[in-house]
Amino acid sequence: MLGGTGEARSLAAALVERPDTEVVSSLAGRVRNPKLPVGDVRVGGFGGPEGLADWLTAEQVDAVVDATHPFAQRISASAAEAARRSGVPLLMLRRPGWSARPGDDWHWVDDLPAAARLLPTLGERVFLTTGRQGLAEFADCPGWFLVRCVDAPEPPMPTETHLLLDRGPYTVDGERALLTEHRIDVLVTKDSGGALTVAKLDAARDLDLPVVIVRRPPTPDVEQVPTVAEATTWLTRVPRSRH
């Protein structure tokens, strides 16, 4: 299982209880202290799709579940290619994205550069929750930025930045207080979906704040399900001991 998400941890927990199933969760290793799933865990890359295909064959893997983050585009593409090369069945487990509700002021963009270009029209004090790896796209933006991420980012980043190291889950009350304390004008996020970080959207709605949301990248043409239960059902249909 290619993991790193709450869904991946939930699926691993369900599968390790089965006496006939061996689960290996693979994490990219980009977070210094990740929440680890139960069962066997490996950390680090495979060396591209060729390396992953070789590993799947060598380890006699019967099935692969891509339960990575919705914006982990590179590993999902590698998983699809590795599955094709090795002949191992692949399933993508992707939680649904967020949907706007009455009162939301959402502005959809295709990528981080588009979000950076839009910001000056919406506000001067920005709550940026797009992760530490894309901060360079906002380095030349005017204004003041509250940047929240799990691990400390490296420059470049916006000139006026207040860094907040934290991880979800968050509460609506807590997010509302944070937005109010820092006098935030606009929230920027990715369409990650899920319940762990949705509270910021509820708080922004309560405070009538605009939200810039980055659309998800396209996914490979592979079978896809939105829930852990459906992934579990899919795995029961995969033939065992292909090798």
Side-chain angles (χ1 to χ4, degrees):
M1 179 152 51
L2 305 174
T5 61
E7 290 78 15
R9 292 189 293 271
S10 295
L11 182 57
L15 294 177
V16 296
E17 298 297 326
R18 300 183 173 189
D20 61 342
T21 301
E22 181 181 356
V23 182
V24 179
S25 295
S26 177
L27 307 181
R30 293 177 179 173
V31 177
R32 291 191 180 94
N33 295 299
K35 294 181 180 180
L36 296 179
V38 297
D40 294 335
V41 179
R42 69 174 304 279
V43 178
F46 292 91
E50 299 87 354
L52 177 54
D54 291 343
W55 187 88
L56 295 175
T57 301
E59 297 295 323
Q60 299 186 355
V61 172
D62 290 311
V64 179
V65 177
D66 173 10
T68 55
H69 192 274
F71 283 81
Q73 190 174 17
R74 181 178 298 178
I75 186 59
S76 291
S78 292
E81 176 61 18
R84 186 191 66 79
R85 289 171 178 260
S86 63
V88 177
L90 168 67
L91 178 72
M92 179 177 286
L93 171 58
R94 281 290 184 275
R95 59 179 176 258
W98 289 314
S99 297
R101 295 168 53 186
D104 283 325
D105 181 14
W106 288 6
H107 303 258
W108 290 92
V109 294
D110 290 331
D111 52 32
L112 293 178
R117 291 192 297 270
L118 181 61
L119 276 181
T121 70
L122 297 174
E124 297 181 351
R125 297 183 67 83
V126 181
F127 184 24
L128 188 59
T129 64
T130 56
R132 63 189 175 94
Q133 296 187 25
L135 291 182
E137 302 294 347
F138 300 89
D140 296 327
C141 285
W144 183 90
F145 285 75
L146 173 63
V147 175
R148 183 169 67 191
C149 46
V150 176
D151 292 325
E154 296 181 357
M157 65 182 70
T159 302
E160 294 190 66
T161 295
H162 178 78
L163 186 61
L164 176 61
L165 300 183
D166 197 7
R167 76 167 83 208
Y170 305 104
T171 67
V172 177
D173 288 343
E175 296 290 70
R176 190 188 302 110
L178 187 69
L179 294 170
T180 302
E181 175 188 354
H182 294 283
R183 297 179 285 114
I184 297 300
D185 297 320
V186 55
L187 165 66
V188 184
T189 189
K190 294 177 177 178
D191 183 21
S192 301
L196 288 180
T197 59
V198 72
K200 61 190 172 188
L201 299 177
D202 296 330
R205 183 189 312 111
D206 291 345
L207 297 173
D208 295 322
L209 296 181
V211 181
V212 179
I213 303 185
V214 181
R215 293 184 180 92
R216 294 182 176 189
T219 58
D221 185 18
V222 300
E223 188 171 357
Q224 187 172 156
V225 296
T227 67
V228 171
E230 290 170 278
T232 304
T233 299
W234 181 86
L235 286 167
T236 64
R237 301 196 299 263
V238 174
R240 302 299 181 95
S241 303
R242 293 184 312 107
H243 304 273

